[in-house]
Amino acid sequence: MTAGPAVLALDIGATKLAAGIGSADGEMTRVLTVPTHASAGAESVLARSLELAQDVHARAAAAGAQAEALGVSTMGYTHSDRVELATYFPGWTELVIPAAVARLFPDLSRRDRQRRACCRAGGDGLGQPARCGRRDLSEPRMAADGIGPFEAWFGGAGAATRVADQGPPASVAATFELAETDAAAREFIDALWTGIAVMTANLCTALNSSVVALGGGYVRDGANASLLGAVALALAYTGAPA
């Protein structure tokens, strides 16, 4: 990892939980992932998420890497006493996430205005946050709530459901691995990437965006190059720099 400030990052997703240490140049190390097990309920998912973050934090500290801040990406809009627009997990809207994080990470959970704006523009799954200068243009209907039409079809949970309906393999990750040798798997992944790429290009055209940031499980590991390639190709049609 490049020397400099480090951040303990936690991603609470619909299909998996991930935690790691991020450096100032964007490199992620000490990444651990586990299945979300959404059927266990909101309290269980949050508890397991924080336990995962604690595990990564402890391992990093033992190796001499001290995180200076904590970043949590999760679904909906997180307030101090509730969560809005997060219906994928029953009970998630009643969680008091900031307090739960502060209890376990009192030295890392300082919040400032800029960080809150970034969290509001984020969320779980596929959403369409927008910023113009310092203005957050996102509205509630643009949040990735786990049940919106785009999220339901192209997001991790929605795509996994469609994969399962078609038979083995039963996950997007497994389908991606199979795509090199299986025509049906390759067709599924191509359609998935194309849909995300076209939506990204359309948003760039509508908003005249100067920067595009993609995050989440789809842009990690081996899927990174093929998805970014599809997005770059779609952006080329808009005349925007890729």
Side-chain angles (χ1 to χ4, degrees):
M1 176 184 292
T2 303
V7 175
L8 173 62
L10 173 62
D11 178 22
I12 306 175
T15 56
K16 69 175 177 295
L17 312 174
I21 300 294
S23 66
D25 61 5
E27 181 185 7
M28 290 296 300
T29 59
R30 306 186 187 280
V31 177
L32 295 180
T33 62
V34 296
T36 300
H37 296 316
S39 60
E43 291 283 358
S44 174
V45 170
L46 179 60
R48 292 177 58 249
S49 300
L50 296 177
E51 288 173 2
L52 185 68
Q54 283 184 301
D55 190 1
V56 169
H57 187 43
R59 295 187 187 199
Q66 183 61 48
E68 298 183 13
L70 168 66
V72 180
S73 173
T74 181
M75 67 204 76
Y77 290 175
T78 302
H79 297 274
S80 61
D81 59 348
R82 69 193 188 285
V83 181
E84 292 182 324
L85 297 173
T87 56
Y88 186 77
F89 295 151
W92 197 265
T93 55
E94 285 78 43
L95 293 179
V96 184
I97 296 177
V101 171
R103 282 195 297 271
L104 295 180
F105 302 98
D107 297 329
L108 301 182
S109 56
R110 296 186 302 271
R111 301 172 64 197
D112 57 35
R113 183 175 181 181
Q114 182 177 6
R115 189 172 301 142
R116 288 199 300 273
C118 292
C119 290
R120 284 190 62 215
D124 176 69
L126 295 167
Q128 300 86 45
R131 288 187 62 82
C132 180
R134 295 184 178 181
R135 290 183 59 201
D136 181 6
L137 304 182
S138 302
E139 296 183 10
R141 65 177 181 273
M142 301 174 75
D145 57 10
I147 61 171
F150 189 63
E151 164 76 3
W153 192 258
F154 293 105
T161 298
R162 292 192 288 122
V163 168
D165 290 342
Q166 296 178 11
S171 71
V172 175
T175 302
F176 178 79
E177 293 179 0
L178 191 61
E180 291 187 6
T181 58
D182 184 88
R186 184 165 57 253
E187 181 179 0
F188 183 92
I189 293 297
D190 286 347
L192 188 65
W193 287 177
T194 299
I196 295 172
V198 169
M199 174 62 79
T200 302
N202 285 341
L203 287 168
C204 288
T205 300
L207 300 171
N208 193 26
S209 304
S210 57
V211 176
V212 177
L214 300 177
Y218 283 170
V219 296
R220 288 195 294 265
D221 305 324
N224 188 311
S226 61
L227 174 55
L228 294 184
V231 171
L233 180 61
L235 289 175
Y237 284 98
T238 71

